[in-house]
Amino acid sequence: MIGMKSKFKLGDALLLIGTLAVFILSIVLWIFIMTNDQYFNHISQPNRVTEQAKNRRGRIASNLYIPTNSYGFRDGQLYRLYDSKKNLPLEFIKEMKGVKFRSIRKSSTGKKEYEEMLHDEDCVQLSFPKEVSVNLFTKKKVRENDERFRRIFVTSSNDYLYLGNDKTNTIYRVNLIKADFTKLRDYAGRARGKIPVEFVRLKNCYEVFFTKQDHWRIYSYLTNTQTDSYFVSRLLGTTSVTTSSNKKGWTTYSLNYYTNLRVPKAKSDRHDFHYTRFEKQKDLSLNERLLESVDFVHKLGLSEQDLRYFDTINDSMSYVNYIEGIPVFWDESSPQVTTTFTGDAVKVDFNNTDLQIPIPFDGQTKTLPTSAAVMQKLLNAGMKETEIQRIIVAFRVEKDNSHDHLVNLIPGYYIKAYDQWKSLAAWEKEDFSSLNKYNETLSKEGK
């Protein structure tokens, strides 16, 4: 009996120890699982945020970086095509959705072949105001060198199209899968707006010259101007922001030593805002800079419906609103937004006023001369022909005194020369003797 009792007690003890061991192991396993779930959640959360940011950037880029003009031939004559009800560039972007890229290869690099492509009457042409990267167009890395192009040639085939670089006379053939440009060709053939033009070779591109003196419409818009606090909140946040003013009419909002927003004082008529964030910048390709720029443009909170990529000068990329296919300048020759990436900072210069509501056209027009006549005026004034980079028609924003928030968009010629955009009137006042000497000095110094 005593042996049985001892054995019983030993068994109970072992059972108790085993139960406790299982219980403790269960707790350890539960803690391990919970902490690992938290760990994996911690890892996956940034990935989800990054993916969301990437998708958002892609959607915005698809709106900012699209062709702004389209061209086609009728009976041997080249026309600039536009139809307010059937926007050809937007139709092209719509028809590119779902298209896959089979291959991209260099087709030719000769001037003769390039000019033959420019005058191919079977193609519908779409152009960007400045070169963009192939990988931006395809939305994925398909070219290791990420070549640049400015023109898209939509052929009579749905199996391929061509990309063209004006500067280098290079043509790329892009073979496509599941493409269908039937509607684009149909809309181009029935476009209501047809202005006769011709291609003229300037410094680094083939510019579209208007060949007839014509009456251009003057449009009117109601505007919306955002306050300082709106941009301070979006760019700097709502806490730890300090304010300082100077006698030159500027107010500076600072988040810290490295980030600030400089704005004109409220009583002034100026609308140019300047954001700066100091930080070391890595070397970026064109495609990377174009995509990085998207984030800063979007962060401003301005209307993006008609905002398009316009130009790149050195490290600066500019964006303007396009109305009826024509770019809009503020303050004589200022774009809506300019982003600049330097070695140690990101700068964003922008106008705090948006075009909001179009006013019905009242019949006002302005007569503009031919592009060739404008070019001759520039040469007569002393501008070097080799320095003329672009000659375009653009709108200048002019305040309408009949209403506080009403502006008129006045058409006129704008010229890019010496890496500067100015109106024809402004260039005619320029001292070209001094400017040419200055540029010759820079050229000799290799700058």
Side-chain angles (χ1 to χ4, degrees), residues 133-192:
S133 68
V134 170
N135 289 339
L136 182 77
F137 173 64
T138 59
K139 299 178 182 175
K140 60 181 179 179
K141 190 174 183 179
V142 296
R143 298 288 291 181
E144 192 65 36
N145 295 329
D146 198 15
E147 292 90 343
R148 306 178 183 191
F149 73 97
R150 189 183 170 208
R151 298 187 188 279
I152 301 169
F153 301 92
V154 178
T155 68
S156 56
S157 171
N158 289 326
D159 297 327
Y160 60 90
L161 55 74
Y162 292 99
L163 306 179
N165 184 316
D166 285 9
K167 187 175 182 179
T168 63
N169 293 316
T170 304
I171 297 173
Y172 302 93
R173 175 169 169 143
V174 184
N175 294 314
L176 307 170
I177 301 174
K178 295 182 179 180
D180 186 357
F181 303 115
T182 302
K183 286 186 178 180
L184 176 69
R185 299 187 195 96
D186 181 53
Y187 293 161
R190 295 188 290 111
R192 296 181 180 181

Side-chain angles (χ1 to χ4, degrees), residues 421-441:
W421 280 101
K422 291 184 181 181
S423 66
L424 173 61
W427 278 120
E428 287 182 305
K429 298 175 183 177
E430 185 69 48
D431 180 1
F432 286 108
S433 177
S434 299
L435 184 58
N436 289 330
K437 287 181 180 179
Y438 175 74
N439 277 271
E440 287 173 5
T441 302

Side-chain angles (χ1 to χ4, degrees), residues 75-336:
D75 301 323
Q77 171 64 53
L78 178 65
Y79 290 93
R80 174 183 176 270
L81 306 176
Y82 186 80
D83 194 318
S84 58
K85 294 184 177 180
K86 301 293 183 182
N87 188 302
L88 298 184
L90 289 181
E91 180 59 35
F92 172 75
I93 296 300
K94 180 180 177 181
E95 293 184 356
M96 283 298 295
K97 290 181 179 178
V99 172
K100 296 182 179 180
F101 300 90
R102 186 189 302 274
S103 63
I104 300 178
R105 63 176 177 82
K106 190 179 293 185
S107 177
S108 64
T109 57
K111 181 180 179 181
K112 179 182 177 182
E113 292 84 353
Y114 198 84
E115 291 189 346
E116 286 177 354
M117 180 65 74
L118 284 174
H119 296 90
D120 188 335
E121 297 187 20
D122 293 329
C123 289
V124 176
Q125 292 186 39
L126 301 109
S127 69
F128 293 86
K130 185 72 174 182
E131 292 87 0
V132 296
S133 68
V134 170
N135 289 339
L136 182 77
F137 173 64
T138 59
K139 299 178 182 175
K140 60 181 179 179
K141 190 174 183 179
V142 296
R143 298 288 291 181
E144 192 65 36
N145 295 329
D146 198 15
E147 292 90 343
R148 306 178 183 191
F149 73 97
R150 189 183 170 208
R151 298 187 188 279
I152 301 169
F153 301 92
V154 178
T155 68
S156 56
S157 171
N158 289 326
D159 297 327
Y160 60 90
L161 55 74
Y162 292 99
L163 306 179
N165 184 316
D166 285 9
K167 187 175 182 179
T168 63
N169 293 316
T170 304
I171 297 173
Y172 302 93
R173 175 169 169 143
V174 184
N175 294 314
L176 307 170
I177 301 174
K178 295 182 179 180
D180 186 357
F181 303 115
T182 302
K183 286 186 178 180
L184 176 69
R185 299 187 195 96
D186 181 53
Y187 293 161
R190 295 188 290 111
R192 296 181 180 181
K194 300 185 294 294
I195 302 175
V197 295
E198 64 180 355
F199 289 122
V200 175
R201 180 72 189 190
L202 296 182
K203 186 175 182 178
N204 288 322
C205 73
Y206 287 91
E207 187 59 270
V208 171
F209 270 35
F210 297 101
T211 57
K212 290 185 178 180
Q213 179 175 291
D214 208 346
H215 303 288
W216 293 74
R217 290 186 174 188
I218 296 175
Y219 294 99
S220 298
Y221 271 76
L222 288 176
T223 62
N224 179 46
T225 301
Q226 297 290 359
T227 62
D228 296 3
S229 60
Y230 175 81
F231 294 107
V232 169
S233 175
R234 293 189 67 91
L235 298 174
L236 304 180
T238 56
T239 59
S240 304
V241 176
T242 60
T243 306
S244 63
S245 301
N246 63 28
K247 295 180 180 180
K248 295 182 179 180
W250 292 96
T251 298
T252 301
Y253 299 92
S254 301
L255 177 61
N256 48 44
Y257 178 76
Y258 306 100
T259 310
N260 65 71
L261 175 65
R262 189 164 61 99
V263 307
K265 288 186 177 179
K267 292 183 180 179
S268 72
D269 290 329
R270 301 184 64 170
H271 295 275
D272 51 321
F273 283 43
H274 309 275
Y275 169 80
T276 304
R277 190 178 78 191
F278 292 98
E279 63 177 26
K280 188 70 175 176
Q281 298 291 314
K282 63 179 181 179
D283 292 333
L284 300 173
S285 67
L286 174 64
N287 187 50
E288 289 170 332
R289 279 190 289 133
L290 291 171
L291 290 176
E292 286 283 329
S293 185
V294 166
D295 296 334
F296 291 97
V297 174
H298 180 66
K299 198 172 184 180
L300 297 176
L302 295 169
S303 173
E304 298 170 5
Q305 180 178 346
D306 298 312
L307 197 63
R308 303 286 182 266
Y309 170 59
F310 178 67
D311 196 10
T312 294
I313 299 178
N314 298 321
D315 297 319
S316 298
M317 287 156 285
S318 57
Y319 305 83
V320 302
N321 287 296
Y322 274 80
I323 304 300
E324 301 292 320
I326 305 296
V328 178
F329 282 117
W330 297 85
D331 303 326
E332 290 297 331
S333 59
S334 297
Q336 183 76 44

Side-chain angles (χ1 to χ4, degrees), residues 285-438:
S285 67
L286 174 64
N287 187 50
E288 289 170 332
R289 279 190 289 133
L290 291 171
L291 290 176
E292 286 283 329
S293 185
V294 166
D295 296 334
F296 291 97
V297 174
H298 180 66
K299 198 172 184 180
L300 297 176
L302 295 169
S303 173
E304 298 170 5
Q305 180 178 346
D306 298 312
L307 197 63
R308 303 286 182 266
Y309 170 59
F310 178 67
D311 196 10
T312 294
I313 299 178
N314 298 321
D315 297 319
S316 298
M317 287 156 285
S318 57
Y319 305 83
V320 302
N321 287 296
Y322 274 80
I323 304 300
E324 301 292 320
I326 305 296
V328 178
F329 282 117
W330 297 85
D331 303 326
E332 290 297 331
S333 59
S334 297
Q336 183 76 44
V337 182
T338 299
T339 62
T340 304
F341 295 87
T342 64
D344 58 2
V346 177
K347 299 181 180 180
V348 184
D349 304 309
F350 60 98
N351 195 297
N352 72 327
T353 301
D354 259 335
L355 300 176
Q356 287 288 313
I357 303 174
I359 303 300
F361 177 61
D362 62 0
Q364 290 188 76
T365 62
K366 182 179 178 180
T367 303
L368 297 182
T370 65
S371 302
V374 170
M375 185 170 179
Q376 191 58 53
K377 283 186 177 182
L378 295 170
L379 298 177
N380 293 342
M383 180 180 286
K384 285 190 173 183
E385 185 172 353
T386 53
E387 294 294 341
I388 301 176
Q389 296 162 280
R390 299 286 313 278
I391 298 178
I392 67 170
V393 172
F395 289 120
R396 170 177 57 84
V397 177
E398 181 181 90
K399 183 175 176 55
D400 191 314
N401 294 323
S402 66
H403 192 285
D404 287 343
H405 302 289
L406 183 64
V407 298
N408 298 317
L409 306 184
I410 311 299
Y413 274 98
Y414 281 78
I415 297 90
K416 181 184 179 183
Y418 309 93
D419 274 342
Q420 303 175 58
W421 280 101
K422 291 184 181 181
S423 66
L424 173 61
W427 278 120
E428 287 182 305
K429 298 175 183 177
E430 185 69 48
D431 180 1
F432 286 108
S433 177
S434 299
L435 184 58
N436 289 330
K437 287 181 180 179
Y438 175 74

